[in-house]
Amino acid sequence: MSTIPQNLQAVASAIVAAAAEAGRRPDSVRLLAVSKTFGPDAVEAAAAAGQRAFGENYVQEGVDKIRTLRETLPHAALEWHFIGPIQSNKTRPIAEHFDWVHTVEREKIAQRLSEQRPAGLGPVNICLQVNISGEASKSGVAPQEVADLARKVASLPNLQLRGLMAIPEPTDDESQQRTAFRAMRELFDGLRADGLALDTLSMGMSADMRAAILEGATIVRVGSAIFGARSYNKG
Ligand SMILES: *Cc1c(COP(=O)(O)O)cnc(C)c1O
C-alpha cells in the first residue's frame, strides 16, 4: 500500500528535469530522503526502492532508527545525515552514528564532533549552515562569517568540510527562492576560489528543490514529497 516508491520516482524525475534545464548532469544532484517523524518501515520501503541517503533532525529518534535499520537491513549500506539543530550536549551520539552533519554553525560544535568521532569510522562530512535570508530567529552563521568558520572547521582532524547548507525563508515566489539560492552559490564559489576544496551545496526541500537545482544545489533534502505529510506530535 506504500506510495513511497512512486513518490521517489516522481522526485527523481523532477531532479533530472531541473538538472537538464540548468544544463547540469543528472548525477550532479543527490537526493537526501528526510525521514524525520517516520518510522523504520518507511525507511525500509525507500531503501527497497534504491534510496541510500536519509536525513534526520532529532538525535534520539535518528539514533534509534539507525540502530533498527542496522538490524533489519544489515547489508543496505545506508548513509545517515544529521540535519537538525545541534545542542552542544548532544554532539556525542551524532559523532558516533551519523556520516554527515549539515547544521554546523559554531566552532565549538565542530570541535566536539571532531573530538568525539570514534577512531576507525573515518571523518564526519560537514556542511556549514548559513543564515542566508538574514532572519533574526533562524539558525546559521552569517554570510560574512562563513569564511572564518570554514577555515577553522577545515583544520579539525576528524571532520571533512564538504560545503554549505541553507534553509531560506519560505516563499512561493520562485524568483525569490532563486535569489536566496544564488547568494548561497556565490558564497560557495567564493570559498572555492579562496582554496577550500568544497563539493557540496545542500539546499532545496520539497517546495523549492527546482529553484535550488537551477542555482546549483548538489544535495536536495526532501521529506514530505517522498513520505507524505508529517505529524509533529510524535515522540
Ligand atoms: C524537514 C526538513 C527537510 C524536508 O522538508 P520537506 O518540506 O518535507 O521536504 C529538509 N531540510 C531540513 C533541514 C528539514 O528540517
Side-chain angles (χ1 to χ4, degrees), residues 32 34 36 38 56-58 83-85 102-103 129 165-167 202 204-208 220-226 228 230 232:
L32 179 64
V34 177
K36 67 181 179 210
F38 292 95
E56 290 287 334
N57 284 58
Y58 311 104
I83 62 170
H102 292 227
T103 42
Q129 183 172 359
M165 176 271 206
I167 312 171
S202 165
M205 322 203 307
S206 296
D208 57 9
V220 289
R221 308 177 311 268
V222 178
S224 48
I226 297 170
R230 285 181 291 274
Y232 277 99

Side-chain angles (χ1 to χ4, degrees), residues 28-89:
S28 65
V29 186
R30 287 188 75 199
L31 173 58
L32 179 64
V34 177
S35 44
K36 67 181 179 210
T37 78
F38 292 95
D41 49 331
V43 175
E44 283 171 31
Q51 179 64 28
R52 289 288 164 267
F54 293 89
E56 290 287 334
N57 284 58
Y58 311 104
V59 178
Q60 195 55 51
E61 179 193 337
V63 169
D64 289 347
K65 223 174 283 178
I66 291 168
R67 289 208 172 103
T68 302
L69 268 294
R70 237 171 239 149
E71 288 185 8
T72 58
L73 294 180
H75 305 297
L78 302 183
E79 187 180 281
W80 293 94
H81 296 232
F82 191 78
I83 62 170
I86 306 174
Q87 295 167 278
S88 55
N89 62 346

